[in-house]
Amino acid sequence: MTRRGHGWAVTVMALALTTAACARLFGYDAHYTPTPHHVVDAMLRFGAVGKADVLYDLGSGDGRIVITAARDLGARGVGIEINPWLAARSAQLAEQAGVADRVRFIRQDLLETDLSPATVVTLYLSDALNARLRPKLLRELRPGTRIVSHEHDMGDWRPDRQIEVEVRGTQRPIYLWVVPAGPNPRQ
């Protein structure tokens, strides 16, 4: 391995260990796995994200969903990331992409975050964490807010729509829920 390759490998390993430690510390069963760029594009199209939207990405990792929504679609965005390194890196990447004025990244527990400003919420977490989030989503989000999740569902809350995308030769689901009006018995 070259000296350069070794440095890159050490950085990736440190990031993986830090992310795993943060996830365990807060009792989450999700870890940092970057969403492939073509899946980001599919999620944003499927969620009909546009200029009028405020997108919240829960567990935003390197910020690619928030940054893409701002850069390509004109949306405003907020990334919620518990890992301090990833939150800081996301802010750097937003600056490099020229969208720092339309996005922000908050280092915070996603279960503690006020989600009420969101018009779209994106997720790539886990089935268990999505299930834990469901009551919060239904309590805090306004009717009509779209929730888009890559690969993980919300238990018995059936999605309004679902599509499939190919990821490394395997079909993976993208789910879309629209927060209903009025009291919701699925909480």
Side-chain angles (χ1 to χ4, degrees):
M1 183 180 289
T2 66
R3 187 186 258 315
R4 184 183 208 169
H6 179 70
W8 181 83
V10 169
T11 301
V12 169
M13 182 61 81
L15 173 61
L17 291 172
T18 302
T19 302
C22 285
R24 277 194 304 278
L25 178 64
F26 289 95
Y28 295 149
D29 57 353
H31 59 277
Y32 175 58
T33 304
T35 303
H37 291 289
H38 74 283
V39 176
V40 170
D41 294 338
M43 290 174 73
L44 296 174
R45 277 193 315 273
F46 195 47
V49 176
K51 289 180 183 188
D53 284 310
V54 177
L55 181 139
Y56 273 52
D57 185 25
L58 305 186
S60 59
D62 64 6
R64 66 182 58 193
I65 293 175
V66 175
I67 291 167
T68 302
R71 183 191 64 221
D72 297 353
L73 303 170
R76 290 177 292 131
V78 178
I80 307 300
E81 177 55 55
I82 202 153
N83 182 308
W85 188 89
L86 285 170
R89 180 68 180 142
S90 297
Q92 292 173 336
L93 292 171
E95 187 72 38
Q96 291 171 6
V99 297
D101 61 326
R102 291 196 310 277
V103 303
R104 62 190 172 108
F105 294 93
I106 302 170
R107 191 179 81 60
Q108 188 172 43
D109 181 334
L110 55 84
L111 292 169
E112 308 277 323
T113 303
D114 175 17
L115 304 176
S116 61
T119 60
V120 179
V121 173
T122 54
L123 312 167
Y124 184 25
L125 300 169
S126 70
D127 292 340
L129 189 48
N130 281 7
R132 285 179 61 194
L133 268 170
R134 188 172 80 179
K136 177 179 181 56
L137 294 168
L138 290 168
R139 184 175 57 251
E140 293 183 14
L141 297 175
R142 293 171 296 214
T145 301
R146 286 108 53 213
I147 303 165
V148 183
S149 178
H150 170 217
E151 196 171 339
H152 302 287
D153 66 20
M154 297 233 192
D156 63 354
W157 185 14
R158 292 196 156 309
D160 292 284
R161 293 180 44 215
Q162 176 180 335
I163 61 172
E164 301 286 324
V165 293
E166 186 176 321
V167 178
R168 292 181 296 280
T170 304
Q171 292 297 313
R172 301 276 175 81
I174 296 177
Y175 301 101
L176 171 71
W177 295 267
V178 178
V179 174
N184 193 320
R186 294 182 292 235
Q187 291 186 37

